[in-house]
């Protein structure tokens, strides 16, 4: 009888010891979880600053509310020191301090570690950034950059990466496309009166996609001149002459439809392309025309070859641009090789 009583008491002691160890182990895990929350918030304030500031806006608010609340940090620190100096473990002391900061824990309920939302955001971002993502991956990850005030360059709107204020820069505006025929620039021309249906002003082509028909030197400008062949003074040149070599390709100024082709003693072999919206281009002195009336052509497509047919002193392209019946100065719309 005595032996059974002793063995029963021994079993109860061992069972009680195991229960206390399990309870202590559970408490240690809870305390470690609480300590982890403290460390996460500490890293957020002192280490995470500047890494992803847009995502920490809410977290900053939580920290600010905490440190400005009526909380006895001195008392908590004193209790922490007493606990560390007493019989309790260091983890218990740190855990009690964190409990006072974030609120008491209820022993009656099972403890499950649920990280607060700010800590979850921090953990997710640290995990993403630790993988050294590429620029494309970062751009994809931060598709909500505008909502967080982020830019893919790593700067926060209105703030440089080092925390210094940066001047706000407005996004470049798309140039306004004016309707074809709208006066864009008024010329300061003060010469003799222009012939009817000729202008020195710059008009809009309505956003037409264009190219340079022949890249060469400007041999003769648009306007009044002395005719290079017959020497007649006061001759008005209705286009520009662009130098080139015999047989050089002539590209369509823009996409459109060939309106007509022809040949005469003045212009030699010529053609005109209608680009729509009232815009047309005229090409003269060609050695050969490669397209036919009514044919559709693309911008940059070869439509003729440079020549010197008609009244010309050498191979070149005579180019005219028109809006309706109004002749325009092609120098506004094409580029030339510079002398030298």
């Amino acid at each position: 009888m005595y032996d059974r009583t002793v063995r029963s008491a021994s079993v109860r002691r061992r069972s009680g010891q195991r229960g206390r160890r399990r309870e202590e182990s559970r408490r240690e895990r809870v305390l470690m979880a609480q300590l982890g929350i403290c460390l996460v918030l500490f890293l957020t304030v002192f280490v995470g600053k500047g890494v992803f500031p847009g995502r920490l806006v809410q977290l900053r608010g939580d920290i600010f509310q905490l440190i400005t609340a009526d909380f006895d940090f001195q008392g908590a620190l004193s209790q922490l020191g007493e606990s560390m100096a007493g019989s309790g473990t260091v983890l218990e002391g740190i855990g009690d301090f964190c409990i006072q900061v974030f609120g008491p824990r209820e022993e009656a309920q099972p403890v499950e570690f649920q990280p607060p939302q700010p800590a979850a955001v921090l953990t997710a971002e640290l995990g993403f950034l630790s993988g050294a993502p590429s620029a494309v991956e970062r751009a994809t990850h931060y598709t909500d950059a505008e909502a967080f005030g982020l830019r893919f360059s790593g700067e926060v709107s209105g703030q440089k990466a080092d925390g210094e204020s940066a001047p706000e820069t407005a996004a470049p505006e798309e140039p306004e496309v004016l309707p074809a025929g709208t006066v864009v620039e008024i010329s300061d021309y003060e010469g003799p009166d222009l012939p009817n249906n000729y202008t020195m002003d710059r008009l809009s082509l309505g956003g037409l996609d264009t190219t340079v028909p022949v890249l060469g030197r400007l041999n003769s400008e648009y306007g009044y001149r002395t005719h290079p062949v017959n020497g007649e003074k006061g001759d008005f040149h209705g286009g520009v002459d662009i130098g080139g070599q015999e047989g050089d390709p002539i590209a369509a100024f823009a996409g459109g439809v060939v309106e007509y082709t022809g040949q005469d003693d003045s212009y030699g072999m010529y053609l005109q392309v209608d680009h729509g919206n009232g815009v047309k281009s005229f090409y003269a002195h060609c050695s050969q025309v490669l397209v036919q009336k009514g044919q559709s052509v693309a911008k940059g497509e070869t439509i003729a070859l440079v020549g010197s047919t008609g009244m010309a002193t050498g191979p070149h392209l005579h180019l005219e641009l028109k809006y309706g019946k109004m002749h325009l100065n092609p120098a506004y719309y094409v580029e030339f090789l510079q002398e030298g």
Side-chain angles (χ1 to χ4, degrees):
M1 181 67 178
Y2 173 76
D3 292 339
R4 285 198 300 272
T5 301
V6 171
R7 284 196 296 272
S8 177
S10 177
V11 168
R12 285 197 299 272
R13 283 196 301 272
R14 287 196 295 271
S15 177
Q17 290 173 354
R18 286 195 296 270
R20 283 194 298 273
R21 284 197 294 270
R22 285 196 297 271
E23 177 64 19
E24 290 176 357
S25 177
R26 184 186 65 82
R27 291 186 61 190
E28 291 291 341
R29 288 197 299 271
V30 172
L31 291 172
M32 287 299 293
Q34 293 168 339
L35 179 59
I37 296 174
C38 295
L39 293 177
V40 167
L41 292 177
F42 175 82
L43 290 173
T44 300
V45 176
F46 294 97
V47 179
K49 182 179 180 182
V51 177
F52 37 86
R55 297 257 183 164
L56 298 180
V57 172
Q58 180 183 355
L59 187 55
R60 286 202 197 101
D62 294 342
I63 299 300
F64 180 78
Q65 184 178 2
L66 174 64
I67 64 176
T68 56
D70 185 13
F71 176 74
D72 187 7
F73 278 92
Q74 183 176 1
L77 289 171
S78 298
Q79 184 173 345
L80 173 64
E82 293 173 1
S83 177
M84 292 175 66
S87 59
T89 66
V90 174
L91 287 178
E92 284 180 318
I94 295 176
D96 290 339
F97 172 73
C98 292
I99 291 170
Q100 290 191 50
V101 174
F102 298 104
R105 53 190 170 91
E106 298 181 3
E107 294 291 348
Q109 298 179 356
V111 178
E112 295 183 4
F113 175 57
Q114 295 291 340
Q117 184 62 28
V121 172
L122 176 63
T123 302
E125 293 299 336
L126 285 174
F128 171 73
L129 295 174
S130 65
S134 65
V136 174
E137 291 171 336
R138 289 196 302 272
T140 303
H141 184 73
Y142 292 112
T143 51
D144 57 348
E146 184 177 357
F148 290 98
L150 294 176
R151 298 175 184 170
F152 291 152
S153 62
E155 296 182 6
V156 181
S157 179
Q159 187 178 19
K160 293 182 180 178
D162 58 2
E164 297 180 2
S165 296
E168 292 290 340
T169 56
E173 297 182 359
E174 292 292 331
E176 182 181 1
V177 177
L178 299 175
T182 304
V183 176
V184 176
E185 181 180 342
I186 298 177
S187 171
D188 58 357
Y189 173 75
E190 297 179 350
D193 292 342
L194 300 176
N196 291 334
N197 299 326
Y198 288 84
T199 180
M200 288 291 186
D201 297 336
R202 180 177 183 178
L203 274 59
S204 170
L205 301 184
L208 188 67
D209 187 16
T210 65
T211 189
V212 178
V214 172
L215 185 58
R217 290 184 173 84
L218 177 60
N219 291 343
S220 184
E221 297 181 355
Y222 173 88
Y224 286 103
R225 66 172 185 174
T226 298
H227 198 284
V229 176
N230 59 26
E232 181 180 347
K233 295 182 179 180
D235 173 63
F236 192 89
H237 191 216
V240 293
D241 289 344
I242 306 173
Q245 299 295 320
E246 188 82 20
D248 283 351
I250 299 173
F253 174 68
V257 177
V258 178
E259 187 174 10
Y260 58 78
T261 65
Q263 183 174 5
D264 62 24
D265 293 339
S266 177
Y267 288 112
M269 300 180 68
Y270 59 82
L271 73 147
Q272 181 160 293
V273 178
D274 185 348
H275 305 292
N277 257 351
V279 181
K280 302 178 180 182
S281 57
F282 177 80
Y283 313 80
H285 303 302
C286 305
S287 62
Q288 187 177 354
V289 174
L290 304 178
V291 293
Q292 299 177 351
K293 179 180 178 179
Q295 180 177 338
S296 295
V297 296
K299 180 194 79 170
E301 180 180 342
T302 300
I303 55 177
L305 302 179
V306 170
S308 55
T309 58
M311 192 176 292
T313 57
H316 69 279
L317 168 65
H318 173 81
L319 174 67
E320 296 182 11
L321 294 179
K322 308 170 187 177
Y323 173 71
K325 295 183 179 180
M326 185 69 66
H327 287 69
L328 311 177
N329 185 354
Y332 287 128
Y333 312 100
V334 298
E335 298 177 347
F336 310 100
L337 289 178
Q338 300 298 318
E339 295 290 341

